[in-house]
Amino acid sequence: MKEDIEAAHDDAKMPKNQQEGKKNPVSAPSVARSVPRIGITHGDFNGVGYEVILKTFDDNRMLEMCTPVVYGSAKIAAYYRKNLELQGTPVAQINDASQARPDALNIINVIGQEAHIAPGESSREAGEAAFAALERAVADLRSGEIDMLVTAPINKHNIQSDLFSFPGHTEYLETSVGEGEKSLMILCNNSLRVALVTTHLPIAKVSAAITEDTIVEKLSIFEYSLIQDFGVVKPRIAVLALNPHAGENGLLGSEERDVIEPAIAKARDKKMHVFGPYAADGFFGNGLYKKFDGVLAMYHDQGLAPFKTLSMESGVNFTAGLPIVRTSPDHGTGYDIAGKGVASEESMRSAVYMALDICRNRKNYEEMTASPLRKHYHERGKDNVVLDLTKD
């Protein structure tokens, strides 16, 4: 098993910082923790973020797996907790992640005490609070105060500012903690993993953004993530077409013939197990996705619409390709149901589980692919010592 993983490790594209022997930009915890410390940003506090966070950790069995640290507001949390009539896991206000209690849902205040809470409404104040939580959590992630990150949904419009000018979490994290690595959005659950060539891009710009090099790059990141983060030794990846019916030999578009097929050929030259391009409707409609470890879609809705239909409420958004682990529930702010107590916490709980699983898989992968040469060389060096047995 170890030999298979090491062989896959050699074939897969490694992130640049590992190829060049650079240190991981995220610090390791200074003290070993009995359970991982997981940072959770509150997202847009007028959405369903607090509701799904509080419901997830109201079951105190979650504390057996991790110590949660919420970056947000104790006052806002208390407001939603009262409305939900939750009395399970206690809530503890702390100043620093190092103070996190293992028996509580810990909250670090990142905004002022006064906040206008208006469930279901978009506000600049909520956008500023969402960014403040994200900024503090990323700083703690870099310093090793937390081990992984789960982000509650943001409003991509009201969070925009001079400090945040990104289409979403994925692009912000690539810039702030990527250290030159490229990120990859993967929507996943226990049976389906869908990655995207383009993410938050208008449809009118998708075709121009799809190039051979981009597809091969995304496939390389995807394959490496399937091996390192999901424990798939030799991943089989399906590539979707861009046009209806895979272009019908150029009748409905030439991107398949001119771009996607050559990219698949290049990926195969790199020993990747890549297949396609498949017309998206039939691929999902006849269940062909079940025969693959991952699916690469060309654009956002092509991949996410079928994924969310098939995953029900258990889907997770994972940012692959980066040295940090970040997951998120696969839904938005849910303004239409915010404050009504009906939001399902299943996707948030799955995001927590997924973050824990990926961290564990990365640790196992690192241990199984670590080179033993240094230790063997050191031990063999002792063979050069000549002992004089005539002396006492």
Side-chain angles (χ1 to χ4, degrees):
M1 177 67 175
K2 179 177 179 180
E3 290 77 9
D4 289 340
I5 291 179
E6 288 178 337
H9 166 87
D10 292 337
D11 289 341
K13 172 194 176 292
M14 295 178 63
K16 292 179 182 177
N17 64 335
Q18 293 190 34
Q19 290 177 337
E20 299 168 2
K22 296 179 182 178
K23 292 182 180 179
N24 191 310
V26 181
S27 301
S30 56
V31 178
R33 293 190 264 270
S34 57
V35 295
R37 189 180 292 160
I38 187 166
I40 305 167
T41 57
H42 67 170
D44 188 312
F45 62 68
N46 287 328
V48 298
Y50 272 99
E51 180 174 345
V52 297
I53 292 170
L54 291 169
K55 284 181 175 179
T56 294
F57 288 98
D58 195 54
D59 184 344
N60 57 22
R61 290 176 297 180
M62 295 292 292
L63 303 183
E64 298 174 8
M65 296 178 285
C66 63
T67 298
V69 177
V70 177
Y71 294 84
S73 165
K75 181 178 179 179
I76 298 175
Y79 168 86
Y80 282 104
R81 192 166 186 254
K82 180 179 180 180
N83 284 356
L84 294 168
E85 298 182 349
L86 300 178
Q87 298 179 353
T89 301
V91 174
Q93 183 176 335
I94 59 176
N95 296 318
D96 187 85
S98 62
Q99 302 171 349
R101 288 171 40 184
D103 63 339
L105 178 64
N106 301 277
I107 298 183
I108 296 176
N109 283 333
V110 297
I111 61 175
Q113 290 298 315
E114 297 302 322
H116 178 62
I117 307 170
E121 296 182 13
S122 173
S123 70
R124 179 173 295 276
E125 183 184 16
E128 292 173 350
F131 175 67
L134 182 60
E135 189 176 38
R136 176 67 184 273
V138 167
D140 282 356
L141 193 61
R142 291 180 67 93
S143 66
E145 291 293 334
I146 56 176
D147 303 303
M148 65 203 80
L149 178 64
V150 176
T151 58
I154 59 173
N155 179 315
K156 293 177 176 62
H157 176 71
N158 69 26
I159 196 176
Q160 298 297 316
S161 69
D162 292 339
L163 297 175
F164 188 99
S165 56
F166 302 91
H169 280 113
T170 302
E171 295 82 1
Y172 170 80
L173 292 170
E174 180 181 279
T175 300
S176 59
V177 293
E179 294 294 310
E181 298 294 337
K182 295 294 185 179
S183 63
L184 178 69
M185 181 186 291
I186 301 178
L187 278 292
C188 45
N189 61 14
N190 292 331
S191 59
L192 178 61
R193 306 177 190 96
V194 177
L196 306 177
V197 175
T198 62
T199 52
H200 302 112
L201 194 67
I203 288 293
K205 298 181 180 180
V206 168
S207 179
I210 295 174
T211 65
E212 284 185 39
D213 289 344
T214 300
I215 294 173
V216 174
E217 178 184 61
K218 297 298 184 181
L219 283 169
S220 297
I221 299 171
F222 198 10
E223 182 194 45
Y224 190 76
S225 179
L226 289 169
I227 295 169
Q228 174 191 236
D229 301 325
F230 296 95
V232 182
V233 176
K234 295 184 183 296
R236 289 169 50 88
I237 301 174
V239 179
L240 299 184
L242 174 64
N243 297 298
H245 306 292
E248 288 281 16
N249 294 317
L251 179 65
L252 302 179
S254 61
E255 286 85 357
E256 286 74 20
R257 180 189 61 209
D258 298 341
V259 180
I260 301 176
E261 290 177 6
I264 291 173
K266 286 184 178 180
R268 288 175 177 168
D269 288 342
K270 295 176 179 288
K271 300 181 181 179
M272 289 186 241
H273 298 287
V274 181
F275 305 87
Y278 296 100
D281 56 349
F283 181 83
F284 288 104
N286 62 23
L288 190 57
Y289 66 90
K290 297 177 183 179
K291 299 183 182 296
F292 295 92
D293 301 298
V295 180
L296 184 69
M298 292 296 114
Y299 59 93
H300 187 279
D301 285 12
Q302 183 188 51
L304 269 61
F307 175 82
K308 290 188 177 185
T309 301
L310 294 166
S311 69
M312 301 297 288
E313 295 179 333
S314 62
V316 176
N317 181 350
F318 166 52
T319 303
L322 303 183
I324 57 97
V325 174
R326 174 260 172 171
T327 63
S328 177
D330 75 342
H331 57 72
T333 55
Y335 284 150
D336 57 325
I337 58 172
K340 299 179 181 179
V342 298
S344 170
E345 73 277 18
E346 185 175 349
S347 186
M348 172 59 78
R349 185 184 295 113
S350 295
V352 172
Y353 290 157
M354 184 75 72
L356 293 167
D357 286 344
I358 291 172
C359 278
R360 181 169 54 250
N361 288 341
R362 285 191 178 185
K363 182 179 179 181
N364 292 339
Y365 177 79
E366 183 178 355
E367 291 174 352
M368 295 185 74
T369 57
S371 173
L373 294 179
R374 181 183 297 274
K375 180 179 179 181
H376 286 180
Y377 178 80
H378 177 72
E379 291 176 347
R380 286 174 61 85
K382 295 178 181 180
D383 296 341
N384 295 327
V385 178
V386 178
L387 300 179
D388 188 348
L389 301 179
T390 64
K391 295 182 179 180
D392 293 336

